[in-house]
Each structure stands twice: as C-alpha cells, then as structure tokens.
Amino acid sequence: MKKQTIAAHELYAKLDRAFRARPMDEFLSCRVPLPFFREPPDGASANIGSFAACPKNCHAVIAEILVEMWAKYDLNATEKS
C-alpha cells in the first residue's frame, strides 16, 4: 500500500482524535505532541519522529497509535524543522 503524504498538523489531528477516543481517564490532562519530520533510516521506515516520555506513560499509547499510522502516512518533507 502506498503511503499518503500529509502535513504535520493533519497527522496531529488524526493522532489526537485516536488518542481521545481511548477510554483512559488517567490521561485526561495529557496532550498529543505535534509530529515532526525526521529522515527515515531506510526505505521502509516512517519519517515521523518519536516523542519524549510522559510520567503517566501516555507516550506508550501515543506510540501504539502512531505505529498503526506509520503504515498509512508519511510527513511532508518540506515541513522539516
């Protein structure tokens, strides 16, 4: 399947919706960080950077959702920081 190239704010919206759809009261104060572009290490890997750890471990839930999205989306390379 060919990946769709999207802007960071579009991926953020998808991540945030998926995160908020999970029934986890302990993460109500947690926020999904804005995804960022990174050079992929190889042709099969995602070009989406990883996020810092959260003391509440919400980063593990976000990473789980992001893994599902890596197969579908690439970030627009022109949005490099």
Side-chain angles (χ1 to χ4, degrees):
M1 173 168 75
K2 184 172 169 44
K3 293 182 183 183
Q4 179 184 358
T5 300
I6 61 176
H9 70 275
E10 292 172 306
L11 182 58
Y12 168 81
K14 292 176 183 301
L15 279 170
D16 190 58
R17 275 194 302 272
F19 182 70
R20 298 288 161 217
R22 307 261 174 134
M24 295 175 280
D25 291 339
E26 67 269 26
F27 300 140
L28 288 177
S29 64
C30 295
R31 301 287 177 256
V32 175
L34 184 65
F36 61 93
F37 179 88
R38 71 168 174 100
E39 290 294 333
D42 55 53
S45 297
N47 71 354
I48 303 165
S50 57
F51 307 115
C54 172
K56 294 182 180 181
N57 289 325
C58 70
H59 63 280
V61 176
I62 295 169
E64 180 183 305
I65 296 166
L66 195 54
V67 166
E68 296 169 10
M69 294 188 176
W70 282 345
K72 299 176 187 177
Y73 306 108
D74 268 334
L75 285 180
N76 185 341
T78 61
E79 292 189 27
K80 292 181 198 179
S81 47

